[in-house]
Amino acid sequence: MLRICLLLLSAGLFSVAVLAQTTGPDRPLDDPAAERRAIALHKQLRCLVCQNQSIAESNADLARDLRQLVRERIAAGDSDDAVFAFLVARYGDWVLLKPPFNAATSFLWLGPVALLVLGAIGVVVWYRRLGARPLSVAPLSADEQARLETLIEEDDADEGRNT
Amino acid sequence: MSNRAQRDETPRRSGNSRRLMLALLPLVGFGVIGWFLYQGLSLKPREIPSVLIDRPVPTFDLPALPGRPPGLASTDLKGEVSLVNVFASWCVTCRVEHPILMRLKQEGIVPIHGLNYKDESEAALGWLKRFGDPYDRVGADKRGRVGIDWGVYGVPESFIVDAEGRIVCKQIGAISEKGLEERLLPAIRAARAGEPVSC
């Protein structure tokens, strides 16, 4: 009896959940190779609602719509580039998780490498300068040399006593 | 002793200005970084600017809501400057901008067309009856595909379309009084005068 009630309850809840979605759940493509391609593309497209997730990961309605849209474009024979171009034409480069390389994004792509190279050059130059700089200590005069030797003797004598 | 004092003095004079510059460096760095961070306070990184500005509206033809003709098609957006508003009955923020749309309609400032985005028609009709109907034409975009063609990623959004059927301005999120005065109304005036729109 309990099992039947639970079964009916879960069936009821499930149907309500499906009705509540105006989009419906994902409908994978029949061809497994095409579906794999679709999923690969999903992982490279940004969800514009939850902008740090791909549409593969996001639960947003728009993500689901875009997933279906990608599947439709693939089924219609679009290449990967054509699918991306379709979405970029509507949402701009930001829809791609990997920014394209162009004049505007060159700083983004090359910046870290450039900083690393500049930093490395800076370190090398600094170390070279360090070695080349002479120690600016003038030699000791005779008086100072004598004082130094006295101090060293006293220091040695101290150490001998303490041990 | 005096010898050593004389020997130590000479390097110090050129070192002084160098040390001053090094001491000022963190302050200058603070100033530069602080300026950039201050600018960053007014940035809105989550807003995605439209790539459809100055492009013709996407081709579409949407049916009307049942019992509430006419529907909305891309051909309807030529001939006059209009405002296309993306709305839905489930969209709470749409209610915030709704009084402004009603006022625009009542004062006859600009024709407003509605894009009913991913909505149940009955719910949409009920919403319009309850809160007021500022739209001339309403197109029912049940699947949201026309919205995707417009680059819609949230609701509400509004677009200003010029008389040639080109999108000239996009408003992301609810229209505010300030946004209306500072951005949308000037854009509408410029579009009507045939001047370039800064939006």
Side-chain angles (χ1 to χ4, degrees), chain A residues 3 27 31 38 40-41 61 63 68 77 86 93 101 103:
Chain A
R3 231 180 269 170
R27 287 185 299 277
D31 173 17
L41 292 183
D61 258 15
Q68 285 307 123
F86 186 91
D93 287 337
F101 187 84

Side-chain angles (χ1 to χ4, degrees), chain A residues 41-84:
Chain A
L41 292 183
H42 292 165
K43 290 186 182 158
Q44 296 173 62
L45 290 164
R46 186 188 305 273
C47 171
L48 301 151
V49 179
C50 316
Q51 292 182 12
N52 58 348
Q53 285 185 315
S54 68
I55 60 173
E57 302 158 328
S58 174
N59 281 326
D61 258 15
L62 180 64
R64 215 166 17 212
D65 289 347
L66 291 176
R67 287 197 295 268
Q68 285 307 123
L69 181 66
V70 168
R71 289 187 175 105
E72 281 169 29
R73 306 293 325 168
I74 289 179
D78 275 9
S79 66
D80 287 3
D81 282 344
V83 174
F84 287 147

